[in-house]
Amino acid sequence: MSAVTLSQVAREAGVSLATASRVLNGSDRRPAEHIAERVRNAAETLGYVANAQAQALARSTTGLVGLVVHDIADPYFSSIAKGVQRRARADRRQLLLAATDGTDQLDAVAAFAAHRTDAIIMAGSRRREIDPRLLAELTRYQKNGGRVVTIGQAWLEGAGSVTIDNRGAGAGLTDMLIRAGRTRFAFLGGPEELASAAERRAGFYWALERAGLTAEAELTEGFNSQGGYEAARGLLERLGPDAVRGLTVVVGNDVMALGAIAGFRHAGLLVPDDLWVAGFDDIPNLRDFSPGLTTVRFPLEQIGEAAADIALSHDEVRIQHVVGEIVRRESA
Amino acid sequence: MSAVTLSQVAREAGVSLATASRVLNGSDRRPAEHIAERVRNAAETLGYVANAQAQALARSTTGLVGLVVHDIADPYFSSIAKGVQRRARADRRQLLLAATDGTDQLDAVAAFAAHRTDAIIMAGSRRREIDPRLLAELTRYQKNGGRVVTIGQAWLEGAGSVTIDNRGAGAGLTDMLIRAGRTRFAFLGGPEELASAAERRAGFYWALERAGLTAEAELTEGFNSQGGYEAARGLLERLGPDAVRGLTVVVGNDVMALGAIAGFRHAGLLVPDDLWVAGFDDIPNLRDFSPGLTTVRFPLEQIGEAAADIALSHDEVRIQHVVGEIVRRESA
DNA sequence: AATTTGTAGGAAAGCGCTTTCCACTCTAGG
DNA sequence: CCTAGAGTGGAAAGCGCTTTCCTACAAATT
């Protein structure tokens, strides 16, 4: 990547580097109009494109925002990413994206730190026990003036956060189902290391217990469509089709719930006729599904925007709490 | 963002800047082991994190790859993004993401050029008539040594490309449906400015014509779920429910097709009992849908990977062609 | 007319690295 | 024993900008 430099522009315009910089790349000092125009013309003719790397070095700020997600193809994360992106663009920031599959968050954060992103947004639900090296890396990053925002839980000291009321959602959803007269429950969840998975599950059990009920089964699989499918098949295998009939199955998230419904369907069980299923998140593509999935809505894009907003604001670090809203559809 | 610098590390280790650089940031010259270790220890103690901006400036290469999409929350694009990301990470490149809503691709490209990304991948289907300023910007970018890869069609001179056989897919799918005995067709498409939308439509008509058939209706709406829904309602309004019954509706892409099916369902028409519907892409969340959507599969993640591969390879610019594979499910 | 202000553009230092030379030591060959 | 050659670490010149001073000059003040 070679390109026209600012000093070439300055020479062409017959002015100094300083003046050219002031004209082209924003400064509180505005050179006289007839000079400014000469510079602008020169830049135009030569096809000048400012070098953001050099600017970053000189200004010691990059205008970059880093976003760490598990899986960008998962609608949960891509919706958040959309929100983050929108907010970032409003501030003319660029988005550095890392999809980690949950494993190498550390690498991603290190790379972002190296690129001196102004902020890092961690959207992946944290694992139950956070990798101490991750923690150290992020802490160092913060010490150097970087801002970090976590989505889901506020698990990092000094970081901003958009916290999601997973426990309340689990409890609220379950409660609603109980009040709807359901008594026989099962839970299909994601890996316990994922805090969000664990919290939704905890809320589920809390509501059940309060009502004096117990779950007839619980299965844990991957937090994705495939996992939901397998969990459904596993449930059928464990309890048998007859016991599954009449059950209300709460599933850790929508993607998984959709997979589960498919699993039940392939086994000949229909939702909601044979059993009820409910999920979490209200991912955008839900509206096309039939049966409509009963779920707890979290405004994903807005959550992304809020996270970016905290990341980019110059005020104190904020923590914003998001409570889900139960959306009742046909599936339950 | 302030942080420990290389010269601090060098001083701490009692060596020169040059040596410290050679030890820490990869060079063909490897200083003696006992020196190297001193440097590594110093870096460790001080918590050194290389400044990628400064490295980029000195090396005149950034290790950044830019990806431009319309809408990152659309499974089509997020799947591609996933592939690109995976390939980029394998090369330890970072991904700069821009979601443009199709409007300000120019801004995105300019920003990428400013950040001196090593390559730019344009995943948004190009508009029918390309903005000449976009063309100019990309051409300049290429002239400066940047590599660009387009996904969909090869619409830029000198750029690599992963071309998608949209026309063939449209024709092949329609052909298959005709051979299945269907005779009454309609087309629900996306905006004609989108090349992929236009090409799929062209393929559809070509196959129809060859069979001596004509379409009973065609509607154009947004290339998303909402658009599909509205197109379906529009079709019903235009032809009336009775005429829609027995129709085979080919829809511009899966997302839109899903929306259309929902639209028909809300009007009391069931797929495939009342009418058939088919789409394009085979987006990942399709497997959970019922009825299973008949579609033309394009391996989205692989397309993303291939694009990144072309972008990062040092060989000549490649153009890779992808042909869809018809996937027949219940919906048609 | 003499002085102070205010404003303009320019010189140059510096941001944190990489890399080219350069001076030097050590080994091997004559 | 001397010298060419191979390899080492270090000095310093950039990479392309921003920004702090500095100087020059015009306008405003007495």
Side-chain angles (χ1 to χ4, degrees), chain A residues 288, chain B residues 74-76 173 188 200 223-225 228 250-262 277-287 289 292-298 300 327 329 331:
Chain A
D288 297 328
Chain B
D74 180 326
Y76 175 83
L173 178 64
L188 306 184
R200 287 168 181 185
F223 224 24
N224 50 35
S225 160
V250 176
V251 189
N253 69 18
D254 286 345
V255 175
M256 204 175 168
L258 261 19
I261 291 178
V277 172
F280 295 87
D281 291 338
D282 198 30
I283 53 175
N285 49 339
L286 232 46
R287 71 164 277 183
F289 263 90
L293 185 65
T294 291
T295 189
V296 183
R297 167 178 303 153
F298 289 108
L300 269 8
V327 181
R329 300 204 182 91
S331 78

mmCIF file of all heavy atoms in Angstrom, chain A residues 288, chain B residues 74-76 173 188 200 223-225 228 250-262 277-287 289 292-298 300 327 329 331:
data_model
loop_
_atom_site.group_PDB
_atom_site.id
_atom_site.type_symbol
_atom_site.label_atom_id
_atom_site.label_comp_id
_atom_site.label_asym_id
_atom_site.label_seq_id
_atom_site.Cartn_x
_atom_site.Cartn_y
_atom_site.Cartn_z
ATOM 1 N N ASP A 288 -40.994 -15.382 11.083
ATOM 2 C CA ASP A 288 -41.405 -16.205 9.958
ATOM 3 C C ASP A 288 -41.711 -17.640 10.362
ATOM 4 O O ASP A 288 -42.213 -18.420 9.571
ATOM 5 C CB ASP A 288 -40.309 -16.214 8.893
ATOM 6 C CG ASP A 288 -40.092 -14.819 8.332
ATOM 7 O OD1 ASP A 288 -41.067 -14.051 8.278
ATOM 8 O OD2 ASP A 288 -38.952 -14.496 7.972
ATOM 9 N N ASP B 74 -28.364 -10.040 8.368
ATOM 10 C CA ASP B 74 -28.935 -10.933 7.368
ATOM 11 C C ASP B 74 -28.082 -12.200 7.305
ATOM 12 O O ASP B 74 -26.863 -12.124 7.147
ATOM 13 C CB ASP B 74 -28.915 -10.204 6.017
ATOM 14 C CG ASP B 74 -29.505 -11.054 4.889
ATOM 15 O OD1 ASP B 74 -29.340 -12.285 4.915
ATOM 16 O OD2 ASP B 74 -30.120 -10.474 3.987
ATOM 17 N N PRO B 75 -28.719 -13.368 7.465
ATOM 18 C CA PRO B 75 -27.928 -14.599 7.529
ATOM 19 C C PRO B 75 -27.045 -14.821 6.296
ATOM 20 O O PRO B 75 -25.994 -15.446 6.392
ATOM 21 C CB PRO B 75 -28.976 -15.700 7.667
ATOM 22 C CG PRO B 75 -30.299 -15.062 7.473
ATOM 23 C CD PRO B 75 -30.138 -13.603 7.684
ATOM 24 N N TYR B 76 -27.482 -14.312 5.173
ATOM 25 C CA TYR B 76 -26.656 -14.428 3.971
ATOM 26 C C TYR B 76 -25.294 -13.791 4.224
ATOM 27 O O TYR B 76 -24.245 -14.399 4.011
ATOM 28 C CB TYR B 76 -27.378 -13.747 2.806
ATOM 29 C CG TYR B 76 -26.602 -13.676 1.519
ATOM 30 C CD1 TYR B 76 -26.584 -14.754 0.641
ATOM 31 C CD2 TYR B 76 -25.898 -12.532 1.175
ATOM 32 C CE1 TYR B 76 -25.877 -14.690 -0.549
ATOM 33 C CE2 TYR B 76 -25.194 -12.452 -0.014
ATOM 34 C CZ TYR B 76 -25.189 -13.530 -0.873
ATOM 35 O OH TYR B 76 -24.488 -13.452 -2.046
ATOM 36 N N LEU B 173 -33.522 -24.019 -11.001
ATOM 37 C CA LEU B 173 -34.599 -24.232 -10.035
ATOM 38 C C LEU B 173 -35.951 -24.275 -10.749
ATOM 39 O O LEU B 173 -36.764 -25.184 -10.529
ATOM 40 C CB LEU B 173 -34.583 -23.102 -9.008
ATOM 41 C CG LEU B 173 -35.684 -23.126 -7.938
ATOM 42 C CD1 LEU B 173 -35.538 -24.354 -7.057
ATOM 43 C CD2 LEU B 173 -35.620 -21.854 -7.087
ATOM 44 N N LEU B 188 -41.457 -13.529 -6.955
ATOM 45 C CA LEU B 188 -41.350 -12.441 -5.988
ATOM 46 C C LEU B 188 -39.870 -12.094 -5.860
ATOM 47 O O LEU B 188 -39.075 -12.932 -5.425
ATOM 48 C CB LEU B 188 -41.901 -12.867 -4.628
ATOM 49 C CG LEU B 188 -43.334 -13.414 -4.612
ATOM 50 C CD1 LEU B 188 -43.778 -13.711 -3.183
ATOM 51 C CD2 LEU B 188 -44.297 -12.454 -5.289
ATOM 52 N N ARG B 200 -31.303 -13.686 -10.915
ATOM 53 C CA ARG B 200 -32.145 -14.829 -10.567
ATOM 54 C C ARG B 200 -33.472 -14.734 -11.306
ATOM 55 O O ARG B 200 -33.996 -15.727 -11.802
ATOM 56 C CB ARG B 200 -32.367 -14.859 -9.049
ATOM 57 C CG ARG B 200 -31.119 -15.292 -8.322
ATOM 58 C CD ARG B 200 -31.164 -15.070 -6.825
ATOM 59 N NE ARG B 200 -29.882 -15.509 -6.248
ATOM 60 C CZ ARG B 200 -29.614 -15.545 -4.956
ATOM 61 N NH1 ARG B 200 -30.541 -15.169 -4.080
ATOM 62 N NH2 ARG B 200 -28.438 -15.955 -4.521
ATOM 63 N N PHE B 223 -35.491 -6.951 -0.266
ATOM 64 C CA PHE B 223 -34.847 -8.261 -0.331
ATOM 65 C C PHE B 223 -34.690 -8.853 1.067
ATOM 66 O O PHE B 223 -33.657 -9.422 1.389
ATOM 67 C CB PHE B 223 -33.472 -8.093 -0.984
ATOM 68 C CG PHE B 223 -33.165 -9.156 -2.005
ATOM 69 C CD1 PHE B 223 -34.158 -9.859 -2.652
ATOM 70 C CD2 PHE B 223 -31.843 -9.442 -2.335
ATOM 71 C CE1 PHE B 223 -33.867 -10.829 -3.600
ATOM 72 C CE2 PHE B 223 -31.533 -10.409 -3.284
ATOM 73 C CZ PHE B 223 -32.544 -11.099 -3.914
ATOM 74 N N ASN B 224 -35.728 -8.722 1.870
ATOM 75 C CA ASN B 224 -35.648 -9.247 3.237
ATOM 76 C C ASN B 224 -36.978 -9.882 3.636
ATOM 77 O O ASN B 224 -37.907 -9.946 2.832
ATOM 78 C CB ASN B 224 -35.290 -8.120 4.204
ATOM 79 C CG ASN B 224 -36.186 -6.913 3.996
ATOM 80 O OD1 ASN B 224 -37.365 -7.060 3.672
ATOM 81 N ND2 ASN B 224 -35.636 -5.731 4.167
ATOM 82 N N SER B 225 -37.028 -10.340 4.865
ATOM 83 C CA SER B 225 -38.201 -11.067 5.328
ATOM 84 C C SER B 225 -39.469 -10.224 5.177
ATOM 85 O O SER B 225 -40.502 -10.681 4.665
ATOM 86 C CB SER B 225 -37.978 -11.445 6.787
ATOM 87 O OG SER B 225 -39.188 -11.730 7.413
ATOM 88 N N GLY B 228 -40.602 -10.078 1.685
ATOM 89 C CA GLY B 228 -41.241 -11.311 1.262
ATOM 90 C C GLY B 228 -42.682 -11.370 1.737
ATOM 91 O O GLY B 228 -43.595 -11.760 1.002
ATOM 92 N N VAL B 250 -41.628 -18.603 -7.061
ATOM 93 C CA VAL B 250 -40.175 -18.567 -6.905
ATOM 94 C C VAL B 250 -39.820 -17.211 -6.298
ATOM 95 O O VAL B 250 -40.260 -16.170 -6.787
ATOM 96 C CB VAL B 250 -39.473 -18.756 -8.263
ATOM 97 C CG1 VAL B 250 -37.964 -18.627 -8.103
ATOM 98 C CG2 VAL B 250 -39.833 -20.119 -8.847
ATOM 99 N N VAL B 251 -39.046 -17.249 -5.223
ATOM 100 C CA VAL B 251 -38.745 -16.020 -4.487
ATOM 101 C C VAL B 251 -37.238 -15.753 -4.531
ATOM 102 O O VAL B 251 -36.435 -16.692 -4.463
ATOM 103 C CB VAL B 251 -39.223 -16.134 -3.033
ATOM 104 C CG1 VAL B 251 -39.125 -14.792 -2.328
ATOM 105 C CG2 VAL B 251 -40.651 -16.653 -2.980
ATOM 106 N N GLY B 252 -36.881 -14.505 -4.632
ATOM 107 C CA GLY B 252 -35.500 -14.068 -4.877
ATOM 108 C C GLY B 252 -34.429 -14.567 -3.929
ATOM 109 O O GLY B 252 -33.285 -14.755 -4.332
ATOM 110 N N ASN B 253 -34.786 -14.763 -2.673
ATOM 111 C CA ASN B 253 -33.836 -15.422 -1.766
ATOM 112 C C ASN B 253 -34.582 -16.058 -0.594
ATOM 113 O O ASN B 253 -35.788 -15.853 -0.425
ATOM 114 C CB ASN B 253 -32.728 -14.476 -1.304
ATOM 115 C CG ASN B 253 -33.228 -13.392 -0.369
ATOM 116 O OD1 ASN B 253 -34.298 -13.488 0.218
ATOM 117 N ND2 ASN B 253 -32.436 -12.350 -0.226
ATOM 118 N N ASP B 254 -33.872 -16.810 0.191
ATOM 119 C CA ASP B 254 -34.508 -17.592 1.253
ATOM 120 C C ASP B 254 -35.175 -16.720 2.300
ATOM 121 O O ASP B 254 -36.291 -16.987 2.742
ATOM 122 C CB ASP B 254 -33.473 -18.470 1.954
ATOM 123 C CG ASP B 254 -33.064 -19.648 1.097
ATOM 124 O OD1 ASP B 254 -33.767 -19.928 0.117
ATOM 125 O OD2 ASP B 254 -32.038 -20.270 1.419
ATOM 126 N N VAL B 255 -34.465 -15.691 2.713
ATOM 127 C CA VAL B 255 -35.000 -14.825 3.757
ATOM 128 C C VAL B 255 -36.353 -14.291 3.316
ATOM 129 O O VAL B 255 -37.336 -14.315 4.068
ATOM 130 C CB VAL B 255 -34.023 -13.666 4.036
ATOM 131 C CG1 VAL B 255 -34.619 -12.689 5.032
ATOM 132 C CG2 VAL B 255 -32.697 -14.196 4.552
ATOM 133 N N MET B 256 -36.378 -13.859 2.083
ATOM 134 C CA MET B 256 -37.607 -13.319 1.530
ATOM 135 C C MET B 256 -38.664 -14.428 1.382
ATOM 136 O O MET B 256 -39.855 -14.212 1.641
ATOM 137 C CB MET B 256 -37.266 -12.726 0.166
ATOM 138 C CG MET B 256 -38.222 -11.669 -0.297
ATOM 139 S SD MET B 256 -37.663 -10.917 -1.842
ATOM 140 C CE MET B 256 -39.182 -10.036 -2.254
ATOM 141 N N ALA B 257 -38.225 -15.601 0.992
ATOM 142 C CA ALA B 257 -39.153 -16.718 0.817
ATOM 143 C C ALA B 257 -39.812 -17.083 2.143
ATOM 144 O O ALA B 257 -41.016 -17.351 2.209
ATOM 145 C CB ALA B 257 -38.414 -17.925 0.239
ATOM 146 N N LEU B 258 -39.026 -17.065 3.184
ATOM 147 C CA LEU B 258 -39.570 -17.371 4.505
ATOM 148 C C LEU B 258 -40.630 -16.332 4.880
ATOM 149 O O LEU B 258 -41.692 -16.667 5.425
ATOM 150 C CB LEU B 258 -38.435 -17.351 5.532
ATOM 151 C CG LEU B 258 -37.811 -18.675 5.968
ATOM 152 C CD1 LEU B 258 -38.064 -19.814 5.015
ATOM 153 C CD2 LEU B 258 -36.344 -18.510 6.264
ATOM 154 N N GLY B 259 -40.322 -15.100 4.587
ATOM 155 C CA GLY B 259 -41.298 -14.044 4.856
ATOM 156 C C GLY B 259 -42.560 -14.256 4.035
ATOM 157 O O GLY B 259 -43.681 -14.075 4.524
ATOM 158 N N ALA B 260 -42.374 -14.691 2.805
ATOM 159 C CA ALA B 260 -43.520 -14.910 1.929
ATOM 160 C C ALA B 260 -44.390 -16.046 2.451
ATOM 161 O O ALA B 260 -45.621 -15.950 2.494
ATOM 162 C CB ALA B 260 -43.032 -15.217 0.515
ATOM 163 N N ILE B 261 -43.735 -17.119 2.861
ATOM 164 C CA ILE B 261 -44.497 -18.253 3.391
ATOM 165 C C ILE B 261 -45.326 -17.802 4.590
ATOM 166 O O ILE B 261 -46.503 -18.156 4.734
ATOM 167 C CB ILE B 261 -43.551 -19.413 3.787
ATOM 168 C CG1 ILE B 261 -42.944 -20.016 2.519
ATOM 169 C CG2 ILE B 261 -44.288 -20.474 4.583
ATOM 170 C CD1 ILE B 261 -41.952 -21.125 2.780
ATOM 171 N N ALA B 262 -44.699 -16.984 5.439
ATOM 172 C CA ALA B 262 -45.430 -16.455 6.591
ATOM 173 C C ALA B 262 -46.616 -15.622 6.111
ATOM 174 O O ALA B 262 -47.717 -15.703 6.669
ATOM 175 C CB ALA B 262 -44.501 -15.626 7.465
ATOM 176 N N VAL B 277 -43.509 -22.936 -2.836
ATOM 177 C CA VAL B 277 -42.597 -21.794 -2.734
ATOM 178 C C VAL B 277 -41.160 -22.312 -2.758
ATOM 179 O O VAL B 277 -40.855 -23.339 -2.155
ATOM 180 C CB VAL B 277 -42.839 -21.009 -1.426
ATOM 181 C CG1 VAL B 277 -41.756 -19.949 -1.232
ATOM 182 C CG2 VAL B 277 -44.214 -20.360 -1.419
ATOM 183 N N ALA B 278 -40.305 -21.606 -3.459
ATOM 184 C CA ALA B 278 -38.889 -21.979 -3.470
ATOM 185 C C ALA B 278 -38.033 -20.723 -3.389
ATOM 186 O O ALA B 278 -38.452 -19.641 -3.801
ATOM 187 C CB ALA B 278 -38.547 -22.775 -4.725
ATOM 188 N N GLY B 279 -36.846 -20.878 -2.848
ATOM 189 C CA GLY B 279 -35.975 -19.720 -2.668
ATOM 190 C C GLY B 279 -34.560 -19.967 -3.173
ATOM 191 O O GLY B 279 -34.313 -20.881 -3.975
ATOM 192 N N PHE B 280 -33.651 -19.174 -2.686
ATOM 193 C CA PHE B 280 -32.243 -19.290 -3.071
ATOM 194 C C PHE B 280 -31.352 -19.054 -1.855
ATOM 195 O O PHE B 280 -31.670 -18.226 -1.007
ATOM 196 C CB PHE B 280 -31.870 -18.214 -4.100
ATOM 197 C CG PHE B 280 -32.577 -18.347 -5.408
ATOM 198 C CD1 PHE B 280 -33.823 -17.767 -5.572
ATOM 199 C CD2 PHE B 280 -31.998 -19.040 -6.462
ATOM 200 C CE1 PHE B 280 -34.488 -17.868 -6.790
ATOM 201 C CE2 PHE B 280 -32.657 -19.134 -7.679
ATOM 202 C CZ PHE B 280 -33.902 -18.552 -7.850
ATOM 203 N N ASP B 281 -30.238 -19.730 -1.827
ATOM 204 C CA ASP B 281 -29.127 -19.533 -0.877
ATOM 205 C C ASP B 281 -28.909 -20.696 0.078
ATOM 206 O O ASP B 281 -27.785 -21.037 0.387
ATOM 207 C CB ASP B 281 -29.281 -18.258 -0.023
ATOM 208 C CG ASP B 281 -29.111 -16.988 -0.841
ATOM 209 O OD1 ASP B 281 -28.493 -17.071 -1.913
ATOM 210 O OD2 ASP B 281 -29.621 -15.943 -0.428
ATOM 211 N N ASP B 282 -30.010 -21.264 0.575
ATOM 212 C CA ASP B 282 -29.906 -22.256 1.638
ATOM 213 C C ASP B 282 -29.191 -21.682 2.863
ATOM 214 O O ASP B 282 -28.159 -22.197 3.300
ATOM 215 C CB ASP B 282 -29.187 -23.522 1.163
ATOM 216 C CG ASP B 282 -29.466 -24.690 2.107
ATOM 217 O OD1 ASP B 282 -30.550 -24.716 2.714
ATOM 218 O OD2 ASP B 282 -28.586 -25.562 2.241
ATOM 219 N N ILE B 283 -29.758 -20.641 3.400
ATOM 220 C CA ILE B 283 -29.196 -20.047 4.622
ATOM 221 C C ILE B 283 -29.273 -21.044 5.765
ATOM 222 O O ILE B 283 -30.128 -21.936 5.775
ATOM 223 C CB ILE B 283 -29.946 -18.762 5.006
ATOM 224 C CG1 ILE B 283 -31.456 -19.022 5.100
ATOM 225 C CG2 ILE B 283 -29.670 -17.680 3.982
ATOM 226 C CD1 ILE B 283 -32.242 -17.832 5.581
ATOM 227 N N PRO B 284 -28.375 -20.937 6.723
ATOM 228 C CA PRO B 284 -28.207 -21.981 7.726
ATOM 229 C C PRO B 284 -29.438 -22.265 8.583
ATOM 230 O O PRO B 284 -29.682 -23.415 8.943
ATOM 231 C CB PRO B 284 -27.052 -21.477 8.594
ATOM 232 C CG PRO B 284 -26.751 -20.099 8.155
ATOM 233 C CD PRO B 284 -27.374 -19.884 6.830
ATOM 234 N N ASN B 285 -30.204 -21.253 8.939
ATOM 235 C CA ASN B 285 -31.314 -21.526 9.848
ATOM 236 C C ASN B 285 -32.504 -22.191 9.150
ATOM 237 O O ASN B 285 -33.526 -22.431 9.764
ATOM 238 C CB ASN B 285 -31.766 -20.256 10.558
ATOM 239 C CG ASN B 285 -31.968 -19.104 9.599
ATOM 240 O OD1 ASN B 285 -31.431 -19.121 8.497
ATOM 241 N ND2 ASN B 285 -32.743 -18.134 9.996
ATOM 242 N N LEU B 286 -32.335 -22.526 7.892
ATOM 243 C CA LEU B 286 -33.422 -23.141 7.144
ATOM 244 C C LEU B 286 -33.806 -24.512 7.686
ATOM 245 O O LEU B 286 -34.959 -24.922 7.619
ATOM 246 C CB LEU B 286 -32.976 -23.302 5.683
ATOM 247 C CG LEU B 286 -33.905 -22.751 4.626
ATOM 248 C CD1 LEU B 286 -34.371 -21.371 4.999
ATOM 249 C CD2 LEU B 286 -33.209 -22.725 3.296
ATOM 250 N N ARG B 287 -32.844 -25.194 8.203
ATOM 251 C CA ARG B 287 -33.092 -26.584 8.596
ATOM 252 C C ARG B 287 -34.171 -26.705 9.662
ATOM 253 O O ARG B 287 -34.785 -27.757 9.802
ATOM 254 C CB ARG B 287 -31.819 -27.269 9.049
ATOM 255 C CG ARG B 287 -31.292 -26.786 10.367
ATOM 256 C CD ARG B 287 -30.282 -27.779 10.909
ATOM 257 N NE ARG B 287 -30.953 -28.870 11.605
ATOM 258 C CZ ARG B 287 -30.323 -29.844 12.221
ATOM 259 N NH1 ARG B 287 -29.017 -29.893 12.184
ATOM 260 N NH2 ARG B 287 -30.992 -30.783 12.871
ATOM 261 N N PHE B 289 -36.858 -24.884 9.794
ATOM 262 C CA PHE B 289 -38.157 -24.456 9.297
ATOM 263 C C PHE B 289 -39.025 -25.613 8.854
ATOM 264 O O PHE B 289 -38.537 -26.618 8.353
ATOM 265 C CB PHE B 289 -37.982 -23.533 8.094
ATOM 266 C CG PHE B 289 -38.037 -22.092 8.478
ATOM 267 C CD1 PHE B 289 -36.881 -21.429 8.826
ATOM 268 C CD2 PHE B 289 -39.245 -21.423 8.523
ATOM 269 C CE1 PHE B 289 -36.922 -20.110 9.199
ATOM 270 C CE2 PHE B 289 -39.298 -20.098 8.895
ATOM 271 C CZ PHE B 289 -38.129 -19.437 9.227
ATOM 272 N N GLY B 292 -39.849 -27.549 5.135
ATOM 273 C CA GLY B 292 -38.488 -27.353 4.652
ATOM 274 C C GLY B 292 -38.528 -26.621 3.327
ATOM 275 O O GLY B 292 -39.340 -26.939 2.468
ATOM 276 N N LEU B 293 -37.683 -25.641 3.176
ATOM 277 C CA LEU B 293 -37.742 -24.803 1.987
ATOM 278 C C LEU B 293 -36.883 -25.371 0.864
ATOM 279 O O LEU B 293 -35.699 -25.625 1.029
ATOM 280 C CB LEU B 293 -37.260 -23.394 2.324
ATOM 281 C CG LEU B 293 -37.379 -22.364 1.205
ATOM 282 C CD1 LEU B 293 -38.829 -22.098 0.849
ATOM 283 C CD2 LEU B 293 -36.679 -21.073 1.604
ATOM 284 N N THR B 294 -37.527 -25.565 -0.266
ATOM 285 C CA THR B 294 -36.786 -25.951 -1.464
ATOM 286 C C THR B 294 -36.008 -24.730 -1.941
ATOM 287 O O THR B 294 -36.549 -23.629 -2.010
ATOM 288 C CB THR B 294 -37.756 -26.422 -2.555
ATOM 289 O OG1 THR B 294 -38.327 -27.662 -2.140
ATOM 290 C CG2 THR B 294 -37.040 -26.611 -3.870
ATOM 291 N N THR B 295 -34.749 -24.942 -2.249
ATOM 292 C CA THR B 295 -33.894 -23.790 -2.520
ATOM 293 C C THR B 295 -32.708 -24.191 -3.386
ATOM 294 O O THR B 295 -32.563 -25.355 -3.756
ATOM 295 C CB THR B 295 -33.409 -23.189 -1.179
ATOM 296 O OG1 THR B 295 -32.753 -21.964 -1.421
ATOM 297 C CG2 THR B 295 -32.465 -24.129 -0.466
ATOM 298 N N VAL B 296 -31.894 -23.231 -3.713
ATOM 299 C CA VAL B 296 -30.636 -23.521 -4.396
ATOM 300 C C VAL B 296 -29.519 -23.189 -3.430
ATOM 301 O O VAL B 296 -29.381 -22.051 -3.005
ATOM 302 C CB VAL B 296 -30.480 -22.672 -5.671
ATOM 303 C CG1 VAL B 296 -29.184 -23.063 -6.384
ATOM 304 C CG2 VAL B 296 -31.675 -22.850 -6.578
ATOM 305 N N ARG B 297 -28.777 -24.186 -3.075
ATOM 306 C CA ARG B 297 -27.748 -23.969 -2.068
ATOM 307 C C ARG B 297 -26.505 -23.292 -2.634
ATOM 308 O O ARG B 297 -25.935 -23.721 -3.634
ATOM 309 C CB ARG B 297 -27.325 -25.291 -1.448
ATOM 310 C CG ARG B 297 -26.025 -25.160 -0.608
ATOM 311 C CD ARG B 297 -25.631 -26.443 0.029
ATOM 312 N NE ARG B 297 -26.728 -26.928 0.849
ATOM 313 C CZ ARG B 297 -26.940 -28.207 1.130
ATOM 314 N NH1 ARG B 297 -26.133 -29.131 0.644
ATOM 315 N NH2 ARG B 297 -27.961 -28.560 1.876
ATOM 316 N N PHE B 298 -26.105 -22.234 -1.951
ATOM 317 C CA PHE B 298 -24.782 -21.669 -2.195
ATOM 318 C C PHE B 298 -24.035 -21.765 -0.877
ATOM 319 O O PHE B 298 -24.540 -21.342 0.166
ATOM 320 C CB PHE B 298 -24.890 -20.212 -2.648
ATOM 321 C CG PHE B 298 -25.450 -20.073 -4.030
ATOM 322 C CD1 PHE B 298 -26.728 -19.598 -4.245
ATOM 323 C CD2 PHE B 298 -24.676 -20.443 -5.120
ATOM 324 C CE1 PHE B 298 -27.239 -19.483 -5.521
ATOM 325 C CE2 PHE B 298 -25.181 -20.320 -6.405
ATOM 326 C CZ PHE B 298 -26.467 -19.844 -6.608
ATOM 327 N N LEU B 300 -22.354 -20.534 1.600
ATOM 328 C CA LEU B 300 -22.039 -19.164 1.973
ATOM 329 C C LEU B 300 -20.713 -19.001 2.729
ATOM 330 O O LEU B 300 -19.896 -18.137 2.408
ATOM 331 C CB LEU B 300 -23.180 -18.603 2.809
ATOM 332 C CG LEU B 300 -24.328 -17.861 2.117
ATOM 333 C CD1 LEU B 300 -24.306 -17.918 0.617
ATOM 334 C CD2 LEU B 300 -25.676 -18.300 2.657
ATOM 335 N N VAL B 327 -31.664 -27.938 -3.796
ATOM 336 C CA VAL B 327 -32.000 -28.744 -2.624
ATOM 337 C C VAL B 327 -33.515 -28.805 -2.545
ATOM 338 O O VAL B 327 -34.176 -27.807 -2.309
ATOM 339 C CB VAL B 327 -31.462 -28.098 -1.334
ATOM 340 C CG1 VAL B 327 -31.814 -28.969 -0.142
ATOM 341 C CG2 VAL B 327 -29.967 -27.887 -1.436
ATOM 342 N N ARG B 329 -36.880 -29.713 -0.869
ATOM 343 C CA ARG B 329 -37.492 -30.053 0.415
ATOM 344 C C ARG B 329 -39.001 -30.015 0.245
ATOM 345 O O ARG B 329 -39.508 -30.045 -0.872
ATOM 346 C CB ARG B 329 -37.025 -29.072 1.486
ATOM 347 C CG ARG B 329 -35.504 -29.072 1.695
ATOM 348 C CD ARG B 329 -35.135 -28.576 3.078
ATOM 349 N NE ARG B 329 -33.687 -28.530 3.280
ATOM 350 C CZ ARG B 329 -32.933 -27.466 3.015
ATOM 351 N NH1 ARG B 329 -33.483 -26.361 2.538
ATOM 352 N NH2 ARG B 329 -31.632 -27.492 3.232
ATOM 353 N N SER B 331 -41.310 -27.709 0.607
ATOM 354 C CA SER B 331 -42.075 -26.529 0.193
ATOM 355 C C SER B 331 -42.375 -26.499 -1.296
ATOM 356 O O SER B 331 -43.175 -25.682 -1.752
ATOM 357 C CB SER B 331 -41.323 -25.267 0.583
ATOM 358 O OG SER B 331 -40.284 -25.033 -0.337
#
